[in-house]
């Protein structure tokens, strides 16, 4: 056996370090972190509204490398020059409290390139947005992008426990003043209006049953809203939900791809990444992402464990199966999405496109 057969490929170009320009106190429990993107990294950090950054927070983990957390971008690619993530304290949560208590202008954060599939299908269609607490973060990016870069109108129902918990309060008011014919925000405060119920929400949201819906908030809240939307007659395939999974591995570690050996039963894949098309041999037991990275193809990814959807891509033809899937829902699968880090081929020929 030759040395080449034992060779491995280390790939970590997805990991970058950005300077913190400013830390803005949004509420007593939430901050926005403004990150500078140098000219040489502009292409690495292009994003679309609704995506997130995976951030490494130094801390007390078992191997001393820090913990990885996903935080949505509240900035808009149609308006803001810098990247902005917004972080709300989680009770007992190490990473969010570390960011709120310790991060200052001039510090640096290690991050992965923007990723995620919680993005509007079009900026030119009317949208219903429903958020709770820090769930407003990706929704703000969608709001600004739609109003500035598109023609759609937006109704935003924003739920919080108290007025003091409302993130982006003044900014949302300013946006509504600037776009009175296209943007309406309605605040629901639990201490004033009571806890939201499925029945109440079904009535309030039914006028927007023909809109695409984007939903972000705590799990229990999202369950109630989805039930209300169903009762209001909103088709399931129009409801888009942002879901973050806890990452068990270290997405910032150097990635070593085991040797990939060609076989007689390999599939063939045509894959498009960043507008470039590639034709590759795809062994039956090797995830697509590993094949791409082994060839030096800079495909998007974060966790490599099927939990974050950063490597989501669309099957244009052929069939694949996933070794694991903790993030794509039935509507995603029906639309042809798969996870490159978990996908292995079933058919002899497959065509894949990375849409973002």
């Amino acid at each position: 056996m030759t040395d080449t057969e034992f060779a491995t490929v280390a790939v970590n170009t997805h990991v970058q370090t950005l300077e913190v320009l400013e830390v803005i106190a949004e509420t007593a429990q939430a901050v926005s972190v403004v990150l500078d993107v140098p000219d040489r990294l502009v292409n690495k950090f292009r994003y679309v509204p609704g995506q997130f950054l995976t951030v490494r927070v130094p801390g007390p983990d078992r191997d001393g490398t820090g913990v990885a957390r996903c935080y949505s971008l509240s900035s808009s690619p149609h308006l803001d020059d810098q990247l902005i993530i917004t972080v709300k304290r989680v009770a007992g949560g190490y990473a969010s409290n570390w960011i709120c208590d310790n991060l200052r202008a001039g510090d640096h954060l290690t991050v992965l390139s923007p990723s995620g599939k919680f993005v509007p299908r079009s900026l030119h269609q009317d949208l219903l947005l429903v958020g709770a607490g820090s769930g407003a973060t990706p929704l703000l990016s969608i709001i600004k992008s739609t109003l500035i870069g598109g023609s759609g109108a937006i109704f935003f129902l924003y739920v919080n426990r108290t007025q003091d918990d409302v993130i982006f309060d003044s900014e949302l008011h300013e946006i509504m003043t600037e776009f009175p014919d296209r943007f309406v925000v309605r605040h629901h405060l639990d201490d004033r209006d009571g806890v939201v119920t499925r029945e109440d929400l079904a009535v309030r949201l039914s006028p927007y049953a023909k809109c695409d819906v984007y939903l972000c908030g705590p799990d229990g809240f999202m369950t109630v809203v989805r039930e209300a939307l169903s009762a209001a007659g909103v088709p399931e395939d129009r409801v888009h939900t942002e879901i973050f999974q806890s990452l068990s591995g270290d997405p910032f570690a150097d990635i070593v791809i085991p040797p990939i050996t060609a076989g007689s039963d390999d599939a063939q894949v045509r894959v498009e990444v960043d507008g470039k098309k590639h034709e590759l041999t795809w062994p039956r037991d090797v995830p697509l992402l590993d094949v791409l990275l082994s060839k030096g193809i800079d495909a998007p990814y974060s966790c490599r464990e099927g939990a974050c959807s950063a490597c989501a891509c669309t099957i244009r033809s052929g069939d694949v199966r996933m070794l694991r899937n903790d993030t794509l829902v039935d509507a995603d699968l029906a639309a042809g999405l798969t996870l490159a880090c978990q996908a292995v081929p079933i058919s002899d020929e497959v065509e894949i496109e990375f849409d973002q």
Side-chain angles (χ1 to χ4, degrees), residues 179-193:
F179 297 92
D181 298 328
R182 295 176 57 203
F183 179 59
V184 175
V185 58
R186 290 289 181 263
H187 293 281
H188 180 105
L189 304 177
D190 290 349
D191 66 345
R192 180 191 67 192
D193 307 314

Side-chain angles (χ1 to χ4, degrees), residues 38-287:
D39 292 342
R40 63 182 177 83
L41 294 178
V42 166
N43 288 335
K44 284 284 185 184
F45 286 94
R46 295 192 188 281
Y47 67 103
V48 291
Q51 292 192 303
F52 62 86
L53 289 185
T54 304
V55 177
R56 178 163 66 191
V57 176
D61 60 317
R62 60 179 176 269
D63 59 8
T65 59
V67 295
R69 294 292 184 269
C70 300
Y71 295 111
S72 295
L73 288 154
S74 54
S75 53
S76 163
H78 297 270
L79 175 66
D80 301 295
D81 294 328
Q82 289 87 27
L83 297 177
I84 306 174
I85 57 172
T86 301
V87 180
K88 183 179 180 180
R89 294 181 189 273
V90 176
Y94 173 79
S96 62
N97 283 279
W98 185 92
I99 289 174
C100 290
D101 290 335
N102 296 282
L103 206 59
R104 299 290 183 270
D107 291 341
H108 291 79
L109 279 180
T110 301
V111 300
L112 306 185
S113 299
S115 55
K117 62 183 182 64
F118 185 67
V119 300
R121 290 190 282 194
S122 170
L123 300 182
H124 301 287
Q125 59 187 178
D126 294 345
L127 302 176
L128 168 62
L129 309 181
V130 185
S134 60
T137 300
L139 301 181
L140 179 64
S141 181
I142 292 172
I143 290 167
K144 293 187 289 188
S145 298
T146 300
L147 296 175
I148 295 171
S151 58
I154 302 170
F155 180 83
F156 177 28
L157 177 63
Y158 188 15
V159 178
N160 284 280
R161 291 189 178 91
T162 72
Q163 179 63 41
D164 291 340
D165 296 314
V166 179
I167 307 173
F168 314 124
D169 192 18
S170 60
E171 187 170 1
L172 289 169
H173 181 75
E174 290 171 3
I175 295 172
M176 191 164 57
T177 300
E178 185 174 355
F179 297 92
D181 298 328
R182 295 176 57 203
F183 179 59
V184 175
V185 58
R186 290 289 181 263
H187 293 281
H188 180 105
L189 304 177
D190 290 349
D191 66 345
R192 180 191 67 192
D193 307 314
V195 177
V196 293
T197 65
R198 182 186 68 175
E199 293 73 21
D200 175 56
L201 285 174
V203 173
R204 296 173 70 176
L205 302 180
S206 60
Y208 310 98
K210 294 184 178 180
C211 295
D212 266 15
V213 184
Y214 292 83
L215 168 62
C216 190
D219 289 344
F221 168 80
M222 290 195 291
T223 297
V224 171
V225 177
R226 292 185 76 94
E227 292 173 351
L229 291 169
S230 177
V234 179
E236 179 67 23
D237 62 0
R238 289 187 185 162
V239 181
H240 311 272
T241 305
E242 179 67 301
I243 301 174
F244 292 123
Q245 300 283 343
S246 297
L247 305 182
S248 60
D250 179 9
F252 298 94
D254 287 347
I255 294 173
V256 179
I257 306 299
I260 297 176
T261 304
S264 59
D265 190 37
D266 292 347
Q268 300 297 312
V269 60
R270 296 184 299 277
V271 59
E272 182 173 343
V273 183
D274 290 334
K276 297 180 181 179
K277 297 182 179 181
H278 310 270
E279 294 191 11
L280 305 169
T281 297
W282 188 1
R284 300 284 178 177
D285 59 348
V286 180

Side-chain angles (χ1 to χ4, degrees), residues 279-347:
E279 294 191 11
L280 305 169
T281 297
W282 188 1
R284 300 284 178 177
D285 59 348
V286 180
L288 176 60
L289 183 63
D290 284 5
V291 174
L292 297 177
L293 296 179
S294 73
K295 298 297 184 181
I297 298 170
D298 195 13
Y301 66 96
S302 288
C303 72
R304 297 180 72 239
E305 58 187 52
C308 76
S309 79
C311 64
C313 50
T314 302
I315 305 166
R316 296 303 182 192
S317 65
D319 295 302
V320 307
R321 66 182 177 89
M322 284 185 285
L323 303 174
R324 175 182 174 182
N325 172 32
D326 292 332
T327 180
L328 298 183
V329 298
D330 289 344
D332 298 323
L333 301 176
L337 289 180
T338 190
L339 300 175
C341 72
Q342 300 297 316
V344 293
I346 295 177
S347 59

